[in-house]
């Protein structure tokens, strides 16, 4: 099983919380598509993994692509693989880009899942986040997707926002449930450097919410969605049975994937690769056959930390046999020492050969992971 991620690095505006790589100028859009098609054409990944199960267009804002842009990229991909064997083909879309004719065209080319950034159903939150759409536009956009016959729709929400009251969060979750979607991703706000929120924070215009409120919002989310038939299969991801994101699940299972486009990451043959996070340098590198990618061969410690971090963010955790398969000696000895303390505190459970975090401790997932990490002196 292998997946492909395509990074579309364009947005009409910058959301206040976002540090993903993107450009708000579209001057290089055509050059980007030319370079992307060349990168696809040349990639050695396809020689090794001819069967691709998942394809994911993320960004940035993939829904800025016109149908003809999209067709050019798909034509380059179909030269390399048979798209009809795909199990899941996801496109991230913003609510204000959703039109019935556009959705029909994407679906006719095989898109069978849409992930939509809604973030909040309160217009004042949307303005604070500098989102381009209103709450009612988001609700209408979901309606258009349903009328088009799309049966696998995911939407994102953000919690832990400055000024967000518990009641507002409650009504966001309840509104999301009324939309009757198959998948919901909910992320706690993290204020990253190089974002408008970071500036607001430095200038004292906003404050981070306190930990008790964060925990209360997470617990409400977890309890409400699970009561309504969603499985909290990953710390930020909730799905109706049968609708787990296959593409993202393959990242969490350590399966190979290829990332294409500026700033995209890949993982295969025990190596991580990442493309330069600069559109001009990416285009120049690809079109002039110069280096635009860095590579890191994962050490045993990197792999150990990755199994712990990625595994424990999922409901099913990780298999002890996976650690034993890859590691012996000092690393395993270290693991058994640190894991024992977490089991004693009931922060971790061990059943059927798997370590996992019990549901009532999932709000401290990051702390538990940090306790198990191996940090070199
Ligand atoms: S959140 Fe999405 S739409 Fe907003 S700036 Fe980031 S990538 Fe663009």
């Amino acid at each position: 099983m292998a997946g492909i991620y395509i990074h579309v690095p364009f947005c009409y505006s910058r959301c206040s919380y976002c540090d993903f790589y993107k450009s708000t100028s579209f001057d290089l859009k055509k050059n980007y598509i030319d370079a992307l098609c060349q990168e696809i054409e040349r990639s050695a990944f396809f020689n090794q993994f001819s069967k691709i199960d998942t394809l994911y267009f993320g960004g940035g804002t993939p829904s800025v692509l016109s149908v003809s842009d999209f067709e050019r990229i798909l034509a380059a991909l179909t030269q390399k693989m048979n798209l009809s064997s795909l199990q899941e083909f996801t496109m991230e879309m913003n609510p204000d880009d959703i039109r019935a004719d556009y959705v029909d065209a994407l679906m006719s080319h095989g898109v069978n899942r849409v992930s939509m950034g809604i973030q909040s159903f309160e217009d004042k939150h949307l303005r604070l986040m500098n989102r381009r759409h209103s709450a009612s536009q988001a609700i209408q956009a979901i309606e258009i997707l349903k009328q088009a016959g799309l049966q696998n729709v995911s939407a994102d929400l953000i919690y832990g926002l400055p000024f967000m009251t518990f009641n507002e969060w409650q009504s966001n979750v309840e509104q999301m449930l009324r939309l009757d979607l198959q998948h919901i991703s909910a992320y706690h706000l993290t204020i990253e450097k190089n974002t408008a929120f970071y500036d607001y924070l430095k200038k004292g215009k906003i404050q981070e919410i306190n930990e008790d409120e964060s925990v209360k919002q997470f617990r409400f989310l977890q309890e409400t969605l699970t009561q309504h038939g969603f499985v909290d299969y990953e710390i930020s991801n909730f799905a109706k049975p049968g609708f787990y994101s296959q593409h993202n699940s393959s990242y969490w299972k350590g399966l190979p994937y290829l990332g294409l486009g500026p700033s995209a990451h890949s993982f295969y043959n025990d190596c991580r690769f990442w493309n330069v996070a600069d559109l001009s340098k990416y285009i120049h590198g690809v079109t002039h056959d110069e280096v635009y990618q860095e590579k890191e061969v994962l050490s045993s410690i990197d792999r150990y930390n990755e199994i712990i971090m990625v595994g424990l963010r999922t409901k099913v955790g990780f298999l002890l046999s996976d650690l034993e398969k890859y590691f012996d000696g000092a690393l395993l000895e270290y693991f058994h020492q640190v894991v024992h303390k977490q089991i004693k505190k009931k922060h971790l459970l061990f059943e059927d050969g798997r370590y996992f975090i019990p549901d009532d401790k999932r709000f401290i997932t990051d702390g538990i992971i940090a306790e198990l990490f191996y940090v070199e002196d």
Side-chain angles (χ1 to χ4, degrees):
M1 174 145 183
I4 294 178
Y5 172 81
I6 307 253
H7 189 77
V8 183
F10 301 101
C11 294
Y12 291 111
S13 53
R14 286 173 194 277
C15 302
S16 316
Y17 55 87
C18 177
D19 72 339
F20 291 162
Y21 179 67
K22 73 265 175 190
S23 164
T24 50
S25 159
F26 287 64
D27 294 351
L28 293 176
K29 188 164 145 232
K30 183 182 173 303
N31 307 61
Y32 154 77
I33 293 170
D34 292 343
L36 181 67
C37 292
Q38 278 191 43
E39 192 187 13
I40 294 169
E41 200 177 298
R42 286 204 219 125
S43 175
F45 183 88
F46 296 103
N47 306 335
Q48 208 178 328
F49 302 98
S50 54
K51 184 169 172 348
I52 304 296
D53 302 272
T54 63
L55 177 56
Y56 193 107
F57 278 60
T61 310
S63 50
V64 303
L65 294 175
S66 66
V67 173
S68 60
D69 294 334
F70 186 71
E71 285 170 345
R72 269 200 68 199
I73 300 167
L74 287 189
L77 284 167
T78 42
Q79 293 284 318
K80 290 285 190 174
M81 65 174 192
N82 183 355
L83 285 183
S84 64
S85 67
L86 279 179
Q87 292 172 21
E88 185 185 88
F89 185 171
T90 304
M91 179 98 170
E92 286 181 358
M93 297 183 82
N94 271 9
D96 38 340
D97 294 326
I98 293 190
R99 295 180 322 273
D101 57 336
Y102 188 59
V103 176
D104 287 346
L106 297 182
M107 287 175 69
S108 73
H109 288 298
V111 171
N112 59 13
R113 182 173 186 271
V114 163
S115 172
M116 197 196 293
I118 289 180
Q119 317 309 1
S120 175
F121 295 101
E122 294 275 347
D123 286 337
K124 67 176 179 186
H125 295 156
L126 295 171
R127 283 192 295 274
L128 177 71
M129 289 188 274
N130 199 32
R131 298 288 299 172
R132 282 186 302 137
H133 58 89
S134 63
S136 64
Q137 264 178 308
I139 294 170
Q140 269 169 13
I142 294 288
E143 203 40 51
I144 293 172
L145 294 176
K146 286 185 177 178
Q147 278 171 7
L150 198 68
Q151 289 169 3
N152 193 353
V153 178
S154 176
D156 295 354
L157 283 179
I158 294 184
Y159 63 105
L161 271 180
F163 312 118
M164 176 188 258
T165 64
F166 180 72
N167 285 349
E168 287 168 349
W169 174 238
Q170 210 173 0
S171 75
N172 271 343
V173 173
E174 286 162 358
Q175 173 59 59
M176 192 61 114
L177 284 170
R178 282 195 288 280
L179 295 180
D180 193 22
L181 304 181
Q182 290 73 32
H183 190 280
I184 297 170
S185 299
Y187 301 96
H188 191 287
L189 175 71
T190 310
I191 300 188
E192 307 283 0
K193 281 189 178 164
N194 302 318
T195 62
F197 271 172
Y198 189 76
D199 286 344
Y200 301 161
L201 188 68
K202 290 279 143 218
K203 290 177 183 151
K205 289 186 184 170
I206 58 169
Q207 282 185 338
E208 291 185 271
I209 67 160
N210 67 49
E211 207 179 320
D212 291 348
E213 181 61 27
S214 290
V215 171
K216 197 171 153 193
Q217 293 187 7
F218 175 76
R219 283 209 157 122
F220 176 77
L221 171 78
Q222 189 190 29
E223 282 167 20
T224 310
L225 295 191
T226 51
Q227 278 161 14
H228 285 80
F230 285 85
V231 182
D232 50 345
Y233 72 109
E234 200 265 351
I235 188 82
S236 305
N237 287 282
F238 301 80
K240 293 272 176 67
F243 290 98
Y244 292 11
S245 161
Q246 293 181 46
H247 185 82
N248 291 340
S249 296
S250 66
Y251 295 155
W252 305 325
K253 288 178 189 160
L255 297 172
Y257 58 89
L258 172 69
L260 298 155
S263 81
H265 286 233
S266 308
F267 170 71
Y268 53 98
N269 298 344
D270 281 345
C271 295
R272 278 197 204 114
F273 305 82
W274 57 99
N275 289 352
V276 61
D278 180 306
L279 184 54
S280 303
K281 285 185 185 159
Y282 166 77
I283 292 168
H284 184 86
V286 175
T287 52
H288 291 76
D289 219 359
E290 289 176 13
V291 179
Y292 59 92
Q293 188 177 67
E294 288 186 73
K295 172 180 171 183
E296 179 189 24
V297 181
L298 295 188
S299 68
S300 346
I301 293 172
D302 294 332
R303 296 205 56 167
Y304 165 89
N305 285 339
E306 189 136 321
I307 288 176
I308 303 280
M309 181 177 71
V310 175
L312 289 184
R313 288 180 61 88
T314 66
K315 193 176 183 71
V316 294
F318 63 87
L319 283 166
L320 174 61
S321 59
D322 276 347
L323 281 184
E324 288 172 338
K325 193 160 51 186
Y326 294 118
F327 315 110
D328 52 20
L331 263 182
L332 263 188
E333 206 174 295
Y334 171 81
F335 170 74
H336 285 299
Q337 271 169 25
V338 287
V339 86
H340 181 65
K341 288 187 203 154
Q342 298 303 314
I343 297 267
K344 244 173 113 180
K345 288 197 231 170
K346 299 199 179 353
H347 286 177
L348 275 184
L349 296 177
F350 182 64
E351 282 172 17
D352 300 329
R354 285 185 174 277
Y355 287 99
F356 59 95
I357 298 178
D359 287 347
D360 65 336
K361 295 290 183 304
R362 290 189 77 192
F363 68 94
I364 51 165
T365 294
D366 288 347
I368 298 171
I369 290 171
E371 292 291 330
L372 299 179
F373 259 18
Y374 188 94
V375 183
E376 281 175 289
D377 297 330

